[in-house]
Amino acid sequence: MLTTSDVTAAHDAFVTTGHGLSRVRRLVADSWRRSRRIGVDPELPTPRTELSDTDLADLRRRSPLAPALPVVRRLLLDVDPQWVAALTDADGRLLWVEGNRSVLRAVGSVGFVEGAVWSEDCAGTNAPGTALATNREVQVIGSEHWVRPVQPWNCAAAPVHDATGRVLGVLDITGGPPVATGLAMQLVRATVAAVEATLGSTAAPADGPAHPTLRVLGSQGGTLVLDGTAHRLSGRHAEILLLLAAHPAGLGADEMAVLLSETELSGATVRAEVSRLRRLVGPLVSASRPYRLTRAVRTDVDAVRDALALGDVSQALASYGGRVLPRSASPGVGEVRDAVSAEVRSAVLASGDPRLIVRWTASAEGADDHGAWRALAGASAPASALHLRAVTHVRRLDAALAVPR
């Protein structure tokens, strides 16, 4: 097991040389790589705090997380907490930060204050920012933080979704040793579940329950939320549900076999898999052929595409937690995967917004995206640190790929 000094030594080595990640947790190592690639200063926290009090009050008033505040206060803050609890929006802006007064003063000295943006591109590796970047629960302990002045602290965070799978923001607790425990992460997880249930009950139509939702994005994909219960799916069952959601008219066993595998897959095998799936989800999947969904199922891909349709590229990026079922070799899933990735990338590059392009280049897909780095060079202010980093990275990719300039 790594000690604090081991992590500190690994951080020092990586900041200095770009090497030394072999013994660091993969989630942290990936985030350090993104932080270094973006150019976040490891010596100085630089969260954006350009918001006026009036603008912050307006964001809070309009936030879909506002109804969840009483739940957060009751579960995390009622009994003399040894931490602060924070709720962010989908861009990583801290809308509410409450809790232990001494901790509030201390974390305020490193910019962890209401109105500040703690996304990875501003603050490097930290629980709320990394939870947004990965769309998964995250615990960051001490020296695992990218910025050294933040390393005395521990934090645990998890994204909050609405009933469609759209990312609304992140719930975080930050503090000393108690926040480094597994119990702290369990408490955050349970509070997020209570928050999502509260938001779902206030948003559900009066004439029926919310639609089932299917999460397929990123390494945590493969979860169906049905009638308020989350079901972790096998890879094959996640593929089948995604394909049925993409083909509302239904699919025959032979059609599904072609979409599920490039090699020959028999209709009998498909029928057996569907039968096993129906034992889990009941009448959500029809028993008769062609197989179809008997209720509309919302996917987190839908949330990304809805945001793109509204022109909200920032929300689309926040909801896009990674490629669709990345371990799947299904041709049908691959079509969806490639399509949504291309849609997000195109929207980011077309926006011309360097903040959005930075977030894309910090992702696994954007890390070596030559066109994106060129777009970032063009969108950033000439001679700025961001422009110089982008130009340098383009040159590295040119050299690696032997692209003529």
Side-chain angles (χ1 to χ4, degrees), residues 328-367:
S328 172
S330 155
V333 170
E335 289 180 12
V336 178
R337 178 192 299 138
D338 293 344
V340 70
S341 175
E343 290 163 17
V344 173
R345 178 185 184 274
S346 296
V348 169
L349 269 57
S351 74
D353 185 336
R355 293 173 299 178
L356 298 180
I357 303 173
V358 160
R359 286 165 60 185
W360 176 257
T361 57
S363 70
E365 290 177 74

Side-chain angles (χ1 to χ4, degrees), residues 84 97 102-114 118 153:
V84 297
V97 183
S102 63
V103 177
L104 274 172
R105 287 193 297 271
V107 298
S109 68
V110 295
F112 198 81
V113 296
E114 292 174 340
W118 275 71
W153 302 103

